[in-house]
Each structure stands twice: as C-alpha cells, then as structure tokens.
Amino acid sequence: MKVNLSSTLYTDEAKAYKVLGDVLRKHETVAHGAGEYVRGPIHTNSIESVWAVLKRSITGTWHHVSRKHLQRYVDEATFRLNEGNCEVDTIDRITAVISRMGGKRVPYRDLVS
C-alpha cells in the first residue's frame, strides 16, 4: 500500500492510529467515545462503508477468505467500490477491468498450494 505522506488521516480516537498520525503530516480525529462522529469534513463514514462492503462480500459471496489471498479479495472489493458508479457505462467498467488484468495471471497451482 502506498500513501502520500502529505495526506490527511481522519480516524477515531483509537490509540492504534497514533503511529500513523506520527508518520503523516496531518492527523485529525473524531471522538466516537464522546459521541462525536462528524466534525466538519472529519469523519470515518467512508472507511466504515468500505469495511461494510468487504464484510458483506465475505459473508454473502465468498463465505471464506484465506490469509494467502486476502489482498486479492480486498483489491476486488475496492475495485467494485471505485468502479460501481451506476452512471458509468457497463462497457466502460468492463474495459476498466480488462485494462488492469495485464500481468495478473495466477496459475492454479499457486492458488491451491
């Protein structure tokens, strides 16, 4: 994963994010524990939606994900979130999928070993 170090990180107040906040130039938090969920542009709703889509995919479509292929599942769910805009023509979404397939061949033996 790559993150632009000039990005602003929005999180809740969990201590686990402090290390990330120390690396990035700007880190803003909302205090969920105090009932604060939004403060101007600062919120965690977007990432919570991403996790919700991933969790629904696991329980409703894939039923199980292996640690070995977890990044592939995350990539697929991310693609669906980013390309799922109904205003985007279906052929354009298909073209986007195909354009990202180059060099992504995974032999069967690598999937099951």
Side-chain angles (χ1 to χ4, degrees), residues 3-9 19-27:
V3 176
N4 185 329
L5 293 180
S6 65
S7 298
T8 300
L9 176 66
V19 170
L20 294 173
D22 291 343
V23 172
L24 298 171
R25 292 189 185 134
K26 192 165 183 184
H27 179 204

mmCIF file with all atom_site columns, all heavy atoms in Angstrom, residues 3-9 19-27:
data_model
loop_
_atom_site.group_PDB
_atom_site.id
_atom_site.type_symbol
_atom_site.label_atom_id
_atom_site.label_alt_id
_atom_site.label_comp_id
_atom_site.label_asym_id
_atom_site.label_entity_id
_atom_site.label_seq_id
_atom_site.pdbx_PDB_ins_code
_atom_site.Cartn_x
_atom_site.Cartn_y
_atom_site.Cartn_z
_atom_site.occupancy
_atom_site.B_iso_or_equiv
_atom_site.pdbx_formal_charge
_atom_site.auth_seq_id
_atom_site.auth_comp_id
_atom_site.auth_asym_id
_atom_site.auth_atom_id
_atom_site.pdbx_PDB_model_num
ATOM 1   N N   . VAL A 1 3  ? 0.881  5.469  0.467  1.00 0.00 ? 3  VAL A N   1
ATOM 2   C CA  . VAL A 1 3  ? 0.144  6.621  0.951  1.00 0.00 ? 3  VAL A CA  1
ATOM 3   C C   . VAL A 1 3  ? 1.007  7.851  0.731  1.00 0.00 ? 3  VAL A C   1
ATOM 4   O O   . VAL A 1 3  ? 2.187  7.863  1.069  1.00 0.00 ? 3  VAL A O   1
ATOM 5   C CB  . VAL A 1 3  ? -0.187 6.479  2.452  1.00 0.00 ? 3  VAL A CB  1
ATOM 6   C CG1 . VAL A 1 3  ? -0.861 7.728  2.980  1.00 0.00 ? 3  VAL A CG1 1
ATOM 7   C CG2 . VAL A 1 3  ? -1.041 5.255  2.700  1.00 0.00 ? 3  VAL A CG2 1
ATOM 8   N N   . ASN A 1 4  ? 0.412  8.874  0.163  1.00 0.00 ? 4  ASN A N   1
ATOM 9   C CA  . ASN A 1 4  ? 1.101  10.138 0.006  1.00 0.00 ? 4  ASN A CA  1
ATOM 10  C C   . ASN A 1 4  ? 1.291  10.729 1.401  1.00 0.00 ? 4  ASN A C   1
ATOM 11  O O   . ASN A 1 4  ? 0.325  10.923 2.133  1.00 0.00 ? 4  ASN A O   1
ATOM 12  C CB  . ASN A 1 4  ? 0.263  11.057 -0.878 1.00 0.00 ? 4  ASN A CB  1
ATOM 13  C CG  . ASN A 1 4  ? 0.971  12.356 -1.190 1.00 0.00 ? 4  ASN A CG  1
ATOM 14  O OD1 . ASN A 1 4  ? 1.752  12.862 -0.389 1.00 0.00 ? 4  ASN A OD1 1
ATOM 15  N ND2 . ASN A 1 4  ? 0.687  12.901 -2.353 1.00 0.00 ? 4  ASN A ND2 1
ATOM 16  N N   . LEU A 1 5  ? 2.522  11.003 1.781  1.00 0.00 ? 5  LEU A N   1
ATOM 17  C CA  . LEU A 1 5  ? 2.810  11.473 3.131  1.00 0.00 ? 5  LEU A CA  1
ATOM 18  C C   . LEU A 1 5  ? 2.223  12.851 3.430  1.00 0.00 ? 5  LEU A C   1
ATOM 19  O O   . LEU A 1 5  ? 2.167  13.268 4.578  1.00 0.00 ? 5  LEU A O   1
ATOM 20  C CB  . LEU A 1 5  ? 4.308  11.462 3.398  1.00 0.00 ? 5  LEU A CB  1
ATOM 21  C CG  . LEU A 1 5  ? 4.939  10.064 3.440  1.00 0.00 ? 5  LEU A CG  1
ATOM 22  C CD1 . LEU A 1 5  ? 6.435  10.152 3.700  1.00 0.00 ? 5  LEU A CD1 1
ATOM 23  C CD2 . LEU A 1 5  ? 4.262  9.180  4.463  1.00 0.00 ? 5  LEU A CD2 1
ATOM 24  N N   . SER A 1 6  ? 1.747  13.546 2.405  1.00 0.00 ? 6  SER A N   1
ATOM 25  C CA  . SER A 1 6  ? 1.092  14.830 2.652  1.00 0.00 ? 6  SER A CA  1
ATOM 26  C C   . SER A 1 6  ? -0.431 14.652 2.808  1.00 0.00 ? 6  SER A C   1
ATOM 27  O O   . SER A 1 6  ? -1.153 15.627 2.950  1.00 0.00 ? 6  SER A O   1
ATOM 28  C CB  . SER A 1 6  ? 1.394  15.819 1.524  1.00 0.00 ? 6  SER A CB  1
ATOM 29  O OG  . SER A 1 6  ? 0.835  15.356 0.306  1.00 0.00 ? 6  SER A OG  1
ATOM 30  N N   . SER A 1 7  ? -0.903 13.407 2.822  1.00 0.00 ? 7  SER A N   1
ATOM 31  C CA  . SER A 1 7  ? -2.327 13.129 3.011  1.00 0.00 ? 7  SER A CA  1
ATOM 32  C C   . SER A 1 7  ? -2.756 13.496 4.421  1.00 0.00 ? 7  SER A C   1
ATOM 33  O O   . SER A 1 7  ? -1.956 13.510 5.351  1.00 0.00 ? 7  SER A O   1
ATOM 34  C CB  . SER A 1 7  ? -2.617 11.635 2.803  1.00 0.00 ? 7  SER A CB  1
ATOM 35  O OG  . SER A 1 7  ? -2.304 11.235 1.505  1.00 0.00 ? 7  SER A OG  1
ATOM 36  N N   . THR A 1 8  ? -4.041 13.771 4.567  1.00 0.00 ? 8  THR A N   1
ATOM 37  C CA  . THR A 1 8  ? -4.621 13.982 5.887  1.00 0.00 ? 8  THR A CA  1
ATOM 38  C C   . THR A 1 8  ? -5.308 12.696 6.295  1.00 0.00 ? 8  THR A C   1
ATOM 39  O O   . THR A 1 8  ? -6.104 12.139 5.542  1.00 0.00 ? 8  THR A O   1
ATOM 40  C CB  . THR A 1 8  ? -5.635 15.135 5.862  1.00 0.00 ? 8  THR A CB  1
ATOM 41  O OG1 . THR A 1 8  ? -4.977 16.328 5.440  1.00 0.00 ? 8  THR A OG1 1
ATOM 42  C CG2 . THR A 1 8  ? -6.239 15.358 7.244  1.00 0.00 ? 8  THR A CG2 1
ATOM 43  N N   . LEU A 1 9  ? -5.008 12.224 7.474  1.00 0.00 ? 9  LEU A N   1
ATOM 44  C CA  . LEU A 1 9  ? -5.587 10.996 8.004  1.00 0.00 ? 9  LEU A CA  1
ATOM 45  C C   . LEU A 1 9  ? -6.726 11.352 8.951  1.00 0.00 ? 9  LEU A C   1
ATOM 46  O O   . LEU A 1 9  ? -6.541 12.115 9.895  1.00 0.00 ? 9  LEU A O   1
ATOM 47  C CB  . LEU A 1 9  ? -4.505 10.208 8.752  1.00 0.00 ? 9  LEU A CB  1
ATOM 48  C CG  . LEU A 1 9  ? -4.934 8.935  9.472  1.00 0.00 ? 9  LEU A CG  1
ATOM 49  C CD1 . LEU A 1 9  ? -5.395 7.891  8.460  1.00 0.00 ? 9  LEU A CD1 1
ATOM 50  C CD2 . LEU A 1 9  ? -3.790 8.409  10.322 1.00 0.00 ? 9  LEU A CD2 1
ATOM 51  N N   . VAL A 1 19 ? 0.447  5.963  15.730 1.00 0.00 ? 19 VAL A N   1
ATOM 52  C CA  . VAL A 1 19 ? 1.675  5.741  14.957 1.00 0.00 ? 19 VAL A CA  1
ATOM 53  C C   . VAL A 1 19 ? 1.518  6.290  13.546 1.00 0.00 ? 19 VAL A C   1
ATOM 54  O O   . VAL A 1 19 ? 2.411  6.952  13.022 1.00 0.00 ? 19 VAL A O   1
ATOM 55  C CB  . VAL A 1 19 ? 2.037  4.239  14.924 1.00 0.00 ? 19 VAL A CB  1
ATOM 56  C CG1 . VAL A 1 19 ? 3.153  3.968  13.942 1.00 0.00 ? 19 VAL A CG1 1
ATOM 57  C CG2 . VAL A 1 19 ? 2.430  3.776  16.315 1.00 0.00 ? 19 VAL A CG2 1
ATOM 58  N N   . LEU A 1 20 ? 0.359  6.039  12.931 1.00 0.00 ? 20 LEU A N   1
ATOM 59  C CA  . LEU A 1 20 ? 0.120  6.562  11.580 1.00 0.00 ? 20 LEU A CA  1
ATOM 60  C C   . LEU A 1 20 ? 0.095  8.082  11.602 1.00 0.00 ? 20 LEU A C   1
ATOM 61  O O   . LEU A 1 20 ? 0.632  8.733  10.708 1.00 0.00 ? 20 LEU A O   1
ATOM 62  C CB  . LEU A 1 20 ? -1.197 6.024  11.029 1.00 0.00 ? 20 LEU A CB  1
ATOM 63  C CG  . LEU A 1 20 ? -1.253 4.527  10.784 1.00 0.00 ? 20 LEU A CG  1
ATOM 64  C CD1 . LEU A 1 20 ? -2.665 4.109  10.406 1.00 0.00 ? 20 LEU A CD1 1
ATOM 65  C CD2 . LEU A 1 20 ? -0.273 4.122  9.705  1.00 0.00 ? 20 LEU A CD2 1
ATOM 66  N N   . GLY A 1 21 ? -0.532 8.632  12.619 1.00 0.00 ? 21 GLY A N   1
ATOM 67  C CA  . GLY A 1 21 ? -0.590 10.083 12.741 1.00 0.00 ? 21 GLY A CA  1
ATOM 68  C C   . GLY A 1 21 ? 0.782  10.706 12.906 1.00 0.00 ? 21 GLY A C   1
ATOM 69  O O   . GLY A 1 21 ? 1.016  11.832 12.476 1.00 0.00 ? 21 GLY A O   1
ATOM 70  N N   . ASP A 1 22 ? 1.700  9.969  13.518 1.00 0.00 ? 22 ASP A N   1
ATOM 71  C CA  . ASP A 1 22 ? 3.066  10.467 13.686 1.00 0.00 ? 22 ASP A CA  1
ATOM 72  C C   . ASP A 1 22 ? 3.832  10.485 12.364 1.00 0.00 ? 22 ASP A C   1
ATOM 73  O O   . ASP A 1 22 ? 4.734  11.284 12.177 1.00 0.00 ? 22 ASP A O   1
ATOM 74  C CB  . ASP A 1 22 ? 3.827  9.608  14.699 1.00 0.00 ? 22 ASP A CB  1
ATOM 75  C CG  . ASP A 1 22 ? 3.302  9.774  16.122 1.00 0.00 ? 22 ASP A CG  1
ATOM 76  O OD1 . ASP A 1 22 ? 2.580  10.761 16.380 1.00 0.00 ? 22 ASP A OD1 1
ATOM 77  O OD2 . ASP A 1 22 ? 3.598  8.903  16.955 1.00 0.00 ? 22 ASP A OD2 1
ATOM 78  N N   . VAL A 1 23 ? 3.462  9.591  11.435 1.00 0.00 ? 23 VAL A N   1
ATOM 79  C CA  . VAL A 1 23 ? 4.155  9.487  10.150 1.00 0.00 ? 23 VAL A CA  1
ATOM 80  C C   . VAL A 1 23 ? 3.639  10.532 9.159  1.00 0.00 ? 23 VAL A C   1
ATOM 81  O O   . VAL A 1 23 ? 4.406  11.144 8.427  1.00 0.00 ? 23 VAL A O   1
ATOM 82  C CB  . VAL A 1 23 ? 3.981  8.069  9.557  1.00 0.00 ? 23 VAL A CB  1
ATOM 83  C CG1 . VAL A 1 23 ? 4.529  7.996  8.144  1.00 0.00 ? 23 VAL A CG1 1
ATOM 84  C CG2 . VAL A 1 23 ? 4.663  7.047  10.451 1.00 0.00 ? 23 VAL A CG2 1
ATOM 85  N N   . LEU A 1 24 ? 2.331  10.740 9.155  1.00 0.00 ? 24 LEU A N   1
ATOM 86  C CA  . LEU A 1 24 ? 1.730  11.685 8.227  1.00 0.00 ? 24 LEU A CA  1
ATOM 87  C C   . LEU A 1 24 ? 1.783  13.095 8.795  1.00 0.00 ? 24 LEU A C   1
ATOM 88  O O   . LEU A 1 24 ? 1.854  13.293 9.999  1.00 0.00 ? 24 LEU A O   1
ATOM 89  C CB  . LEU A 1 24 ? 0.279  11.285 7.942  1.00 0.00 ? 24 LEU A CB  1
ATOM 90  C CG  . LEU A 1 24 ? 0.126  9.921  7.288  1.00 0.00 ? 24 LEU A CG  1
ATOM 91  C CD1 . LEU A 1 24 ? -1.334 9.512  7.243  1.00 0.00 ? 24 LEU A CD1 1
ATOM 92  C CD2 . LEU A 1 24 ? 0.716  9.913  5.892  1.00 0.00 ? 24 LEU A CD2 1
ATOM 93  N N   . ARG A 1 25 ? 1.739  14.070 7.923  1.00 0.00 ? 25 ARG A N   1
ATOM 94  C CA  . ARG A 1 25 ? 1.835  15.459 8.364  1.00 0.00 ? 25 ARG A CA  1
ATOM 95  C C   . ARG A 1 25 ? 0.601  15.933 9.107  1.00 0.00 ? 25 ARG A C   1
ATOM 96  O O   . ARG A 1 25 ? 0.672  16.769 9.984  1.00 0.00 ? 25 ARG A O   1
ATOM 97  C CB  . ARG A 1 25 ? 2.082  16.360 7.157  1.00 0.00 ? 25 ARG A CB  1
ATOM 98  C CG  . ARG A 1 25 ? 3.443  16.134 6.544  1.00 0.00 ? 25 ARG A CG  1
ATOM 99  C CD  . ARG A 1 25 ? 3.744  17.177 5.487  1.00 0.00 ? 25 ARG A CD  1
ATOM 100 N NE  . ARG A 1 25 ? 5.006  16.840 4.865  1.00 0.00 ? 25 ARG A NE  1
ATOM 101 C CZ  . ARG A 1 25 ? 5.212  16.834 3.560  1.00 0.00 ? 25 ARG A CZ  1
ATOM 102 N NH1 . ARG A 1 25 ? 4.246  17.155 2.739  1.00 0.00 ? 25 ARG A NH1 1
ATOM 103 N NH2 . ARG A 1 25 ? 6.377  16.503 3.079  1.00 0.00 ? 25 ARG A NH2 1
ATOM 104 N N   . LYS A 1 26 ? -0.566 15.390 8.726  1.00 0.00 ? 26 LYS A N   1
ATOM 105 C CA  . LYS A 1 26 ? -1.800 15.872 9.332  1.00 0.00 ? 26 LYS A CA  1
ATOM 106 C C   . LYS A 1 26 ? -2.684 14.697 9.734  1.00 0.00 ? 26 LYS A C   1
ATOM 107 O O   . LYS A 1 26 ? -2.952 13.817 8.929  1.00 0.00 ? 26 LYS A O   1
ATOM 108 C CB  . LYS A 1 26 ? -2.538 16.783 8.351  1.00 0.00 ? 26 LYS A CB  1
ATOM 109 C CG  . LYS A 1 26 ? -3.655 17.555 8.990  1.00 0.00 ? 26 LYS A CG  1
ATOM 110 C CD  . LYS A 1 26 ? -4.114 18.692 8.097  1.00 0.00 ? 26 LYS A CD  1
ATOM 111 C CE  . LYS A 1 26 ? -5.187 19.478 8.830  1.00 0.00 ? 26 LYS A CE  1
ATOM 112 N NZ  . LYS A 1 26 ? -5.746 20.516 8.005  1.00 0.00 ? 26 LYS A NZ  1
ATOM 113 N N   . HIS A 1 27 ? -3.126 14.691 10.975 1.00 0.00 ? 27 HIS A N   1
ATOM 114 C CA  . HIS A 1 27 ? -3.973 13.624 11.501 1.00 0.00 ? 27 HIS A CA  1
ATOM 115 C C   . HIS A 1 27 ? -5.083 14.283 12.308 1.00 0.00 ? 27 HIS A C   1
ATOM 116 O O   . HIS A 1 27 ? -4.817 14.984 13.282 1.00 0.00 ? 27 HIS A O   1
ATOM 117 C CB  . HIS A 1 27 ? -3.137 12.689 12.380 1.00 0.00 ? 27 HIS A CB  1
ATOM 118 C CG  . HIS A 1 27 ? -3.923 11.577 12.995 1.00 0.00 ? 27 HIS A CG  1
ATOM 119 N ND1 . HIS A 1 27 ? -3.529 10.949 14.145 1.00 0.00 ? 27 HIS A ND1 1
ATOM 120 C CD2 . HIS A 1 27 ? -5.078 10.976 12.645 1.00 0.00 ? 27 HIS A CD2 1
ATOM 121 C CE1 . HIS A 1 27 ? -4.393 10.012 14.467 1.00 0.00 ? 27 HIS A CE1 1
ATOM 122 N NE2 . HIS A 1 27 ? -5.352 10.013 13.571 1.00 0.00 ? 27 HIS A NE2 1
#
